[in-house]
Every structure is written in structure tokens, then in C-alpha cells.
Amino acid sequence: MEKEVMLWAGAGQIGMAIARRMGYGKKIIVGDKKIENAKAMAQIMNNAGYDVVPMEMDLASRASIKNLIAEGEKYGPITDMIIAAGVSPSQAPIEVILKVDLYGSAVMMEEVGKVIAPGGSGIMISSQSGWRMPALTPEQDEALATTPTEELLALDFLQPGKIKDTLHAYQMAKRCNEKRVMAEAVKWGTRGARINDIAPGIIVTPLAIDEFNGPRGDFYKNMFAKCPAGRPGTADEVANIAELLMSKRGAFISGSTFLADGGATASYFYGPLKPQG
């Protein structure tokens, strides 16, 4: 029997929270670079009554993204997309962060946008980190939004020497995600579909707990202690926003980014997290 299909990249806690909220009754294809992660998520969800197929998928590869889409199309129309894959500043060098988080996300939005069904919706998970950089020029913003995907990594301001460190690369990738969502929303709209972005702050996941206990742990603990919420967030709180954006209640929302960071960015600019000096 044909089903509506959800494509989910990045087998982590945030992606699973959204898939559990929006994926019941659908065929869910979860892709992750580590197949064991995808299988673990699929087992948890299948044991809870969902219909999930795990796949090995590399977000940095257009061919791998196309394979994920082709697998989904075997079961029915693709109606939902979640991009929750990526690497953090402490996990990878600059080149890998740009290839996965910036280029790969852009390619997946583009490729799914070619096949998304009318009434469909997509969610890109970026990060509060993209809000911490100084403003780019209008020309740079437009380049991130509209440059053909295969030319993105050749942009002058993404070249070695222009990117200071892995955090800067990550911030630039997340800024690109948000600009790209705006441009893709125009294209998705021609198919009667919508795409939006959520920029989470510190969300408690196994990876985040590792970070809390690692060399940058005090930095993270200080951030959520001094943000207005006074705590980190949960994956289900991100899923609350995704449920609005992906459901009919969000039918007038497309091309938007929702910052969900407990007020950390507000504190960074106007409160106790503001950098000194």
C-alpha cells in the first residue's frame, strides 16, 4: 500500500523527536553516515509502532542524497523532509564542516525540492551559532542563498585564510542554511510546498552531554546558566516548533527561521553573555 514518505537525514535526538511527532502513518526513511545510528533509531521507532527504514547516507554526497530520495519514492509521494545531520566545530576540520553542513544541506534541500509533493513541508535544523557572527554584506548573503550548489564551496569568502577556525566555519554554514531556506522556499512554493528552518540553542542530547563534560563544558554551562531560560532545551521543545511549521497550522509560514535558544542570543547581544572588551 502506498504511503506518504518522510525523508530524515541525521539519526539524532532532534530528528527523532520531530519524526515521532510528524511521522505516524508515514513511511520514514532515516539516513545517517553511520548505519548503526540509523538502525538504532529505526529500531526504537519501529518498536513504538512507526514504519522506519534505515539507510547509510552521506550528506556531503549528492549521489548518496539521491539514493535516499530514490528509496523513499519506492513507497509513495515524498511529503516531509527533516535535515538534522551535520558535524560540530569540535568534531571535524573546516573543510569537512563546509562540505557537510553548508554544501550537503544545500544539495538536499535542492534535490528534495525537485520531488516534494504538493502540501509537503521541510525542516532544516541550523543553529543559534549562525546568529553570533557579524552581519555579512548583502552580496554575501545573496551568494549564500542563490549560488548554484556545485559552486558554493568556491565562493571567495569561504576559502582558506578567510575562515578563521572551525567555529567560524560552523557559523558560516548555519548562516548559509538559513539564507538557503529562504531561496528554496520560493522554489518549493511553485510545487505547493513549504520549507522552514529551526535554529536551536543548547539542546540536551548524548552529544551535548559529551560536550558538557569536555574541554568546552564550562563555556556551555555558562551559556545556559546566563540565558533567560536558565537551562538547556530538549529535543521535544524543538519538535514543538517543527509540529507547527510542518502542520496545516503553519500553512502561511515558509522561508522562515525560528530561533529557539532560551534567549541565549538575546543575552549575547544585550545581557550577561555579551562578550567583554
Side-chain angles (χ1 to χ4, degrees):
M1 184 179 75
E2 188 172 86
K3 283 187 173 184
E4 293 184 352
V5 176
M6 169 182 283
L7 300 179
W8 161 22
Q13 294 294 318
I14 292 176
M16 182 169 70
I18 298 171
R20 289 178 74 103
R21 196 72 61 88
M22 301 305 298
Y24 40 83
K26 298 175 181 176
K27 191 78 176 185
I28 303 171
I29 315 296
V30 56
D32 196 279
K33 190 166 185 181
K34 295 182 178 178
I35 186 62
E36 59 268 26
N37 290 350
K39 286 180 176 177
M41 289 293 177
Q43 182 176 10
I44 291 168
M45 291 191 65
N46 286 332
N47 286 343
Y50 292 84
D51 184 3
V52 185
V53 174
M55 283 188 70
E56 184 174 343
M57 190 208 77
D58 181 1
L59 189 62
S61 163
R62 186 182 295 270
S64 189
I65 290 167
K66 285 186 170 182
N67 286 342
L68 186 80
I69 293 170
E71 179 66 22
E73 289 181 316
K74 293 177 184 177
Y75 302 99
I78 293 171
T79 58
D80 300 88
M81 178 197 76
I82 304 164
I83 304 178
V87 290
S88 74
S90 60
Q91 289 179 315
I94 289 171
E95 306 76 39
V96 174
I97 291 170
L98 294 177
K99 186 72 184 293
V100 176
D101 292 33
L102 191 150
Y103 165 81
S105 295
V107 171
M108 184 158 179
M109 284 188 258
E110 176 183 57
E111 291 294 342
V112 175
K114 295 174 183 177
V115 299
I116 191 76
S121 62
I123 288 291
M124 173 74 225
I125 300 296
S126 63
S127 168
Q128 64 173 353
S129 196
W131 294 60
R132 303 279 165 75
M133 288 193 308
L136 300 178
T137 67
E139 292 77 17
Q140 288 173 324
D141 277 339
E142 184 167 353
L144 290 176
T146 63
T147 297
T149 45
E150 293 307 316
E151 299 171 21
L152 266 172
L153 296 177
L155 288 172
D156 173 69
F157 56 93
L158 298 180
Q159 299 315 299
K162 303 289 180 72
I163 301 292
K164 297 192 293 281
D165 51 29
T166 57
L167 177 59
H168 186 205
Y170 185 76
Q171 291 174 331
M172 190 67 80
K174 298 309 173 181
R175 183 72 64 85
C176 180
N177 294 161
E178 294 165 12
K179 297 301 179 183
R180 207 80 191 177
V181 162
M182 294 178 74
E184 283 294 338
V186 179
K187 299 175 184 177
W188 283 46
T190 65
R191 298 182 62 87
R194 301 177 298 108
I195 181 170
N196 289 289
D197 178 88
I198 302 173
I202 298 171
I203 304 299
V204 178
T205 65
L207 176 64
I209 291 171
D210 286 343
E211 294 278 2
F212 297 161
N213 295 323
R216 287 166 59 86
D218 288 343
F219 169 82
Y220 288 113
K221 290 171 185 174
N222 180 63
M223 182 179 288
F224 61 71
K226 292 183 178 177
C227 76
R231 63 173 177 84
T234 66
D236 283 285
E237 289 176 300
V238 179
N240 289 341
I241 302 167
E243 183 176 17
L244 167 65
L245 296 176
M246 298 180 81
S247 72
K248 298 301 182 187
R249 288 183 295 161
F252 199 55
I253 306 171
S254 194
S256 293
T257 291
F258 282 65
L259 180 63
D261 67 350
T265 299
S267 185
Y268 177 84
F269 283 105
Y270 308 117
L273 286 174
K274 187 172 184 177
Q276 302 301 310

